[in-house]
Amino acid sequence: AKKDGGNGYRYCTEQLNSNSFEFLRLAHELRDAVSLKQFVLHFQPQIDLASGQLVGAEALVRWSHPRDGLVYPGRFIDIAEQTGLVAELGNWVLREACTQAAVWRTLGFGPIVTAVNVSALQLRRGDMVGIVENVLRQTGLPPHCLELELTESILIENVEQTLAQLNQLKQLGIKLAIDDFGTGYSSLAYLNKFNVDRLKIDRSFVGQIGNPANDAIIHAIVQMGHALGQRVIAEGVETAAMRAHLLDCHCDEAQGYLFAKPLPAAEFAKLLAGYRQE
Ligand code: C2E
Ligand code: CA
Ligand code: CA
Ligand code: CA
């Protein structure tokens, strides 16, 4: 097996024991899929709650598996992480998302920010700044139209090196968001150290809207984000009642099935065109 960088393969023992055949099959097929670029991106709209305008898109990767059909990231992102393939996959996702976003801009669709998920491994490799800079230059996408979504776990590992990289990324003019906020290691110390633009309230909180203790947490996250100059977006918004509650809490933006599921690029473009006419 081909070694990747210094890490090589880091098979997780539990996963190997519980379902080793499936893991090895997917790990093997994933390597080919990455070199053959057997992936597509779907885009999910992000809506400004006060104005109802479409203000952003999150790019979400899917594997066009030759036999299994469309495979969702829940089945392969962990494997991609453990085999190191997520770095190359992540580079493809970044380039594809920026290419698409640049096309939409050229077509005159209103200003939107395209968000791309970044895995811990991509940052650990230390070459993200150069990669992002190249992709922006080659696609012509203005930096302020790109946002990278980071998880809390990324921020607490290797703080000094991460901080230096994120500062350089910010200097390129791109935006940074903390994904799944509130589910990580609950260290708030990094929040004023890292210069992030947005907090994404995790779906698990949004799904429990109506529970008083949970609602207090949502309220507190919004207040804290605003106090730190950040915008706050809620993910997994599925009902009008959830939207109404988030609006009451002054949450800025929302994303979820209430507005649209993640869509293939062509369908997302139709949605964009529709919003522009409103
Ligand atoms: P995430 O970043 O938290 O992405 C949001 C997930 O929630 C997506 O699942 C999306 O389809 C789903 N979702 C959106 N709205 C709703 C809703 O209203 N209700 C419910 N129940 N779910 C909703 P998806 O696309 O299957 O992605 C799962 C995870 O895989 C993502 O979670 C992210 O952690 C990871 N992922 C996806 N694309 C990439 C990528 O390009 N790179 C990396 N490193 N990870 C990715
Ligand atoms: Ca995300
Ligand atoms: Ca998320
Ligand atoms: Ca998540």
Side-chain angles (χ1 to χ4, degrees):
K2 190 174 130 256
K3 286 244 174 187
D4 188 279
N7 285 323
Y9 285 138
R10 297 185 308 135
Y11 289 131
C12 158
T13 9
E14 293 108 79
Q15 198 156 356
L16 259 178
N17 292 338
S18 67
N19 207 346
S20 60
F21 181 75
E22 172 77 350
F23 178 88
L24 290 171
R25 176 179 79 92
L26 286 176
H28 178 76
E29 293 177 350
L30 200 55
R31 198 165 47 229
D32 291 339
V34 168
S35 51
L36 296 170
K37 304 189 185 352
Q38 278 172 0
F39 299 93
V40 289
L41 292 184
H42 284 183
F43 295 87
Q44 189 176 33
Q46 300 177 332
I47 307 297
D48 181 275
L49 279 165
S51 71
Q53 273 303 307
L54 198 167
V55 290
E58 179 177 5
L60 294 154
V61 71
R62 279 89 181 85
W63 178 3
S64 314
H65 192 282
R67 285 187 318 279
D68 297 0
L70 212 58
V71 178
Y72 283 76
R75 269 185 68 203
F76 67 87
I77 284 290
D78 280 355
I79 299 174
E81 295 258 359
Q82 290 168 50
T83 54
L85 290 165
V86 78
E88 203 182 322
L89 174 61
N91 289 344
W92 179 86
V93 168
L94 178 71
R95 181 172 299 274
E96 185 70 13
C98 290
T99 301
Q100 195 52 252
V103 169
W104 291 328
R105 266 183 76 82
T106 312
L107 294 174
F109 297 133
I112 65 164
V113 175
T114 297
V116 172
N117 292 285
V118 171
S119 94
L121 190 84
Q122 284 176 276
L123 277 190
R124 223 182 290 137
R125 285 166 60 114
D127 54 1
M128 263 313 260
V129 179
I131 289 169
V132 170
E133 208 174 3
N134 263 327
V135 167
L136 289 174
R137 193 177 42 236
Q138 287 163 6
T139 61
L141 186 72
H144 67 271
C145 295
L146 174 66
E147 181 168 81
L148 300 183
E149 294 194 1
L150 315 160
T151 57
E152 292 175 80
S153 55
I154 295 182
L155 301 182
I156 60 148
E157 84 175 32
N158 211 344
V159 175
E160 289 313 313
Q161 201 223 336
T162 305
L163 189 58
Q165 267 195 93
L166 295 184
N167 283 335
Q168 283 176 279
L169 285 166
K170 284 292 298 178
Q171 275 162 26
L172 295 179
I174 70 164
K175 301 190 159 145
L176 300 176
I178 302 182
D179 202 359
D180 305 339
F181 187 77
T183 59
Y185 294 79
S186 65
S187 162
L188 296 177
Y190 59 73
L191 260 188
N192 51 19
K193 241 188 241 155
F194 295 106
N195 184 8
V196 299
D197 302 277
R198 281 215 291 191
L199 299 181
K200 284 193 94 166
I201 303 178
D202 190 69
R203 194 163 82 210
S204 57
F205 298 109
V206 178
Q208 291 180 64
I209 281 176
N211 167 324
N214 174 76
D215 292 356
I217 293 174
I218 292 184
H219 196 78
I221 293 175
V222 174
Q223 300 268 304
M224 183 181 62
H226 287 174
L228 294 170
Q230 294 152 342
R231 291 178 70 74
V232 181
I233 178 166
E235 64 180 14
V237 179
E238 296 181 351
T239 67
M242 291 176 184
R243 173 176 55 190
H245 180 82
L246 290 162
L247 198 51
D248 279 348
C249 287
H250 306 287
C251 183
D252 302 290
E253 289 146 22
Q255 177 181 345
Y257 297 161
L258 175 65
F259 308 100
K261 294 206 165 182
L263 300 167
E267 282 176 54
F268 186 83
K270 285 183 204 156
L271 195 76
L272 267 177
Y275 270 89
R276 191 174 53 158
Q277 282 154 19
E278 271 161 26

